Amino acid sequence: MKTSITDSFSTICIIFLILGFFLVNPETAQSQNFDNWETDLSKKSIDLESLVKGGPPKDGIPSIDEPKFVQFNAADSWIADEEPVIAFQHNGISRAYPLQVMIWHEIVNDQINGTPVLITFCPLCYSAIVFDRRIDGKVHEFGVSGFLRHSDMIMFDRKTESLWQQFTGEALVGDYTGTELTVLPSQIISYEQFKDAYPDGVVLSKDTGYQRTYGQNPYTGYDDINNTPFLMGNIEDDRLKPMEKVIGVRISDVQKAYPYSLTKESIVINDTIGQTPIVVFHTEGARSALDASSISQSREDGSTGAFRRSVNGQTLKFSYRSEKIIDEQTGSTWDISGKAIEGQLKGKQLEPLIFGDYFAFAWLVFWPETELYQL
């Protein structure tokens, strides 16, 4: 058991986050920042001064490289039904990655049915993103660098120590500069919703090899619409409050953001991006991971999903009636995972889109050309 950081880690982490920027000024100590790195700094697509030390050093936030999984009956004792999990299904295998674990590790190097995957969560942007961790056919392992850019986690691959932007999956510095990881569909829903949608699923275990206060939020109060993003600097895009959450959807090179203030009210939004008919769901469900000190007691934010709204060549239109998501063509009932659970289309699955729940400042800085949904 690794015990280099004790249960007081939450306090230490916050102190690091607050002091790290002032202890190492990126504009005057850039060479010191890379003293223990083997990154080829001659290859880069950004100014190195845009990389800010967030506090913890390289691997100071340890990735989970040999994840263990447990059945629901083993996880029920330590994760509440309303707690948020990253739900990921691939090749018929379904796994839940509780944010109460991800918030302390940020990266899980996993493998599902022969596919090496990278599960990531940046608390500062509320960005949960899953990638295929193969590059040019070779499997790579990733870690947390300790650097931030636009308040977003910078990852690194352990082979070349290239630096990767978590929000976009693009390598910014090092041998792989310009390479982009393939994003795989995932969503944040409640633990209870995951169990209902994926009865054969499993849950990332708390047996990580590290001692952490899993279930506690080390960023208490950060998820506040009136808050200021950590180490973000000047925010030039004022279309939304920086800390308002949005459902961000990407289809090819087109992006669209759906503010929570609208999606919570509408619950179901039928829309079209480019030529693609889509539907966005925002139901009751998951709590925020970054509100109260105890995640199980945090504010209820709801659960979201975004899907192509075509089945067997038929474009469906959805509505929310009698506390159910129903398609108007067949009257079938659908759940937050995009699966028909009652009616003529029972068992059918909507195709998931690449989407996520993010703080607005992060979505707008990385996708400034995004369209904003309006009622």
Side-chain angles (χ1 to χ4, degrees), residues 185-256:
S186 63
Q187 65 183 141
I188 296 177
I189 57 178
S190 75
Y191 176 51
E192 181 177 38
Q193 288 168 327
F194 179 84
K195 290 191 291 184
D196 289 342
Y198 306 105
D200 296 324
V202 292
V203 183
L204 177 67
S205 172
K206 291 196 303 180
D207 182 10
T208 63
Y210 297 88
Q211 287 188 345
R212 297 292 187 270
T213 53
Y214 297 119
Q216 296 299 304
N217 164 26
Y219 304 87
T220 301
Y222 187 70
D223 189 354
D224 184 329
I225 196 170
N226 295 312
N227 222 336
T228 301
F230 181 69
L231 293 184
M232 178 56 191
N234 294 329
I235 297 176
E236 299 179 357
D237 197 322
D238 60 358
R239 285 179 286 176
L240 295 170
K241 284 189 174 184
M243 300 294 286
E244 177 172 358
K245 281 192 180 139
V246 301
I247 301 170
V249 180
R250 296 169 55 193
I251 298 179
S252 298
D253 295 328
V254 181
Q255 307 89 29
K256 193 165 185 176

Side-chain angles (χ1 to χ4, degrees), residues 78-370:
W78 53 268
I79 181 169
D81 280 346
E82 299 81 13
E83 284 195 45
V85 302
I86 301 172
F88 179 65
Q89 185 181 56
H90 187 70
N91 290 339
I93 303 296
S94 306
R95 291 180 178 172
Y97 302 82
L99 292 194
Q100 65 155 278
V101 178
M102 294 299 301
I103 203 171
W104 295 98
H105 296 279
E106 301 190 5
I107 284 177
V108 176
N109 291 286
D110 201 359
Q111 184 157 307
I112 298 181
N113 258 6
T115 301
V117 296
L118 179 65
I119 316 297
T120 71
F121 178 65
C122 176
L124 299 178
C125 294
Y126 216 86
S127 47
I129 306 174
V130 177
F131 303 98
D132 186 321
R133 55 188 177 94
R134 289 173 292 192
I135 307 169
D136 297 331
K138 297 181 180 179
V139 178
H140 287 261
E141 185 177 279
F142 287 78
V144 182
S145 73
F147 292 112
L148 299 173
R149 179 172 175 266
H150 299 319
S151 199
D152 180 54
M153 169 177 52
I154 296 295
M155 312 181 295
F156 73 98
D157 68 82
R158 300 193 190 282
K159 181 179 180 181
T160 72
E161 297 199 345
S162 297
L163 301 179
W164 302 73
Q165 187 85 61
Q166 183 257 0
F167 208 92
T168 63
E170 180 182 358
L172 305 175
V173 184
D175 291 346
Y176 283 119
T177 295
T179 301
E180 292 185 11
L181 299 173
T182 299
V183 182
L184 302 174
S186 63
Q187 65 183 141
I188 296 177
I189 57 178
S190 75
Y191 176 51
E192 181 177 38
Q193 288 168 327
F194 179 84
K195 290 191 291 184
D196 289 342
Y198 306 105
D200 296 324
V202 292
V203 183
L204 177 67
S205 172
K206 291 196 303 180
D207 182 10
T208 63
Y210 297 88
Q211 287 188 345
R212 297 292 187 270
T213 53
Y214 297 119
Q216 296 299 304
N217 164 26
Y219 304 87
T220 301
Y222 187 70
D223 189 354
D224 184 329
I225 196 170
N226 295 312
N227 222 336
T228 301
F230 181 69
L231 293 184
M232 178 56 191
N234 294 329
I235 297 176
E236 299 179 357
D237 197 322
D238 60 358
R239 285 179 286 176
L240 295 170
K241 284 189 174 184
M243 300 294 286
E244 177 172 358
K245 281 192 180 139
V246 301
I247 301 170
V249 180
R250 296 169 55 193
I251 298 179
S252 298
D253 295 328
V254 181
Q255 307 89 29
K256 193 165 185 176
Y258 300 79
Y260 263 33
S261 56
L262 301 181
T263 58
K264 279 187 173 183
E265 177 183 346
S266 299
I267 302 178
V268 172
I269 295 174
N270 297 281
D271 201 8
T272 300
I273 296 181
Q275 302 299 315
T276 304
I278 76 161
V279 64
V280 174
F281 298 155
H282 191 161
T283 68
E284 294 182 350
R287 296 184 183 275
S288 167
L290 301 177
D291 176 39
S293 59
S294 174
I295 295 175
S296 65
Q297 300 301 314
S298 288
R299 180 187 70 245
E300 201 268 344
D301 256 358
S303 300
T304 68
F307 310 91
R308 296 177 186 266
R309 53 184 173 97
S310 298
V311 174
N312 297 333
Q314 180 182 27
T315 298
L316 303 177
K317 184 177 181 181
F318 293 86
S319 60
Y320 189 73
R321 302 197 305 267
S322 302
E323 299 185 345
K324 294 181 179 180
I325 297 172
I326 298 173
D327 74 78
E328 297 183 2
Q329 282 69 29
T330 73
S332 301
T333 301
W334 302 75
D335 69 8
I336 191 63
S337 73
K339 183 170 63 178
I341 55 176
E342 294 178 359
Q344 179 181 329
L345 295 178
K346 183 177 180 179
K348 295 293 185 180
Q349 175 70 52
L350 298 175
E351 181 182 345
L353 297 171
I354 300 301
F355 87 101
D357 305 275
Y358 315 108
F359 290 129
F361 80 86
W363 182 262
L364 294 175
V365 76
F366 287 109
W367 309 114
E369 302 302 319
T370 187

